Amino acid sequence: MGEHYFSAAPSSPADLRRMRVALAGREVDVTTARGVFSPERIDKGTEVLLQNAPAAPAGGDFLDLGCGWGPVALSLALESPHARVWALDVNERALDLVRRNAQALGLDNVFPVTADQVPDDVVFRAIRSNPPIRVGKSVLHELLETWIPRLDHHSDGYFVVQRNLGSDSLQRWMEQTFGDGYSTRRHATAKGFRVLKVRRHGDPPTAPVTTA
């Protein structure tokens, strides 16, 4: 079996490459490499997420869960320069690319990390994720059960999932798993993808999220 983008330490040559992409309404140059997710372009699912999720809060801690080379994390950091953006991945090459790209863009508010490097007391005002569906259902569920409960009160997470890779069944699982204190709804549909929105209500509770 070939190497996966969710390998912790890719063994293939990096073959660093530069490309120009649009992030947060700006044309920027970024570095990508082999052995990470979608090294040739911003993948369609991430584009759908970036186009359909609302602007993040002005500050606080944000999480890009499964960051790859960093299009979501970099966009969040450009849009909210006073926030701390935690770019999380298992792939060390991906984290190195996020680090390179943040430095090249002059962003000092991006923190590329593995899961064990996120401080236990950090809670997130926003989560954005194109989650690694191909890791398998049990690993994916464990990932979401770990990080969604770390949403701050009155805060939202947005997750993009391809419809033919189980977005609707994942939505049902999320609704069942994150019950009291949370709402899960379909936020948007575009180009064969669903954007799922999870809200943590807090006290006093916020209104339930609405269905798109």
Side-chain angles (χ1 to χ4, degrees):
M1 183 176 292
E3 184 173 74
H4 294 290
Y5 64 83
F6 45 83
S7 299
S11 59
S12 60
D15 187 23
L16 295 177
R17 61 201 74 177
R18 297 282 286 170
M19 65 179 179
R20 176 154 285 229
V21 297
L23 297 177
R26 295 170 47 179
E27 294 288 325
V28 298
D29 293 314
V30 297
T31 300
T32 69
R34 293 172 60 188
V36 303
F37 179 63
S38 193
E40 302 291 345
R41 65 188 67 83
I42 298 178
D43 70 287
K44 190 178 296 184
T46 298
E47 284 186 343
V48 169
L49 178 65
L50 291 173
Q51 291 167 3
N52 287 278
D61 288 285
F62 303 164
L63 175 65
D64 175 8
L65 181 58
C67 62
W69 54 262
V72 173
L74 298 171
S75 294
L76 289 170
L78 288 165
E79 292 172 353
S80 302
H82 300 295
R84 291 194 301 180
V85 182
W86 301 87
L88 190 152
D89 210 294
V90 299
N91 187 320
E92 292 287 353
R93 183 174 294 171
L95 297 178
D96 179 66
L97 291 169
V98 177
R99 199 172 291 112
R100 289 170 181 261
N101 289 325
Q103 183 176 11
L105 294 173
L107 298 171
D108 60 3
N109 60 331
V110 178
F111 298 86
V113 289
T114 53
D116 60 312
Q117 294 172 323
V118 181
D120 292 338
D121 60 348
V122 170
V123 293
F124 301 105
R125 291 284 291 119
I127 296 177
R128 302 284 188 271
S129 181
N130 184 353
I133 297 296
R134 297 186 188 278
V135 297
K137 186 178 294 185
S138 62
V139 175
L140 175 64
H141 288 181
E142 182 180 0
L143 191 69
L144 298 178
E145 287 179 288
T146 297
W147 296 103
I148 287 177
R150 292 184 64 171
L151 272 171
D152 200 357
H153 294 284
H154 311 136
S155 298
D156 300 318
Y158 292 84
F159 303 82
V160 66
V161 183
Q162 195 167 349
R163 186 169 55 191
N164 65 9
L165 291 180
S167 62
D168 294 344
S169 62
L170 182 64
Q171 179 181 344
R172 289 190 295 271
W173 175 84
M174 291 168 79
E175 289 170 346
Q176 294 166 1
T177 303
F178 305 104
D180 292 343
Y182 295 85
S183 296
T184 302
R185 298 289 187 272
R186 184 187 306 162
H187 173 73
T189 299
K191 302 177 182 178
F193 290 84
R194 312 281 204 208
V195 178
L196 306 179
K197 176 180 180 178
V198 179
R199 170 171 294 168
R200 184 172 187 184
H201 293 290
D203 187 19
T206 50
V209 297
T210 57
T211 303

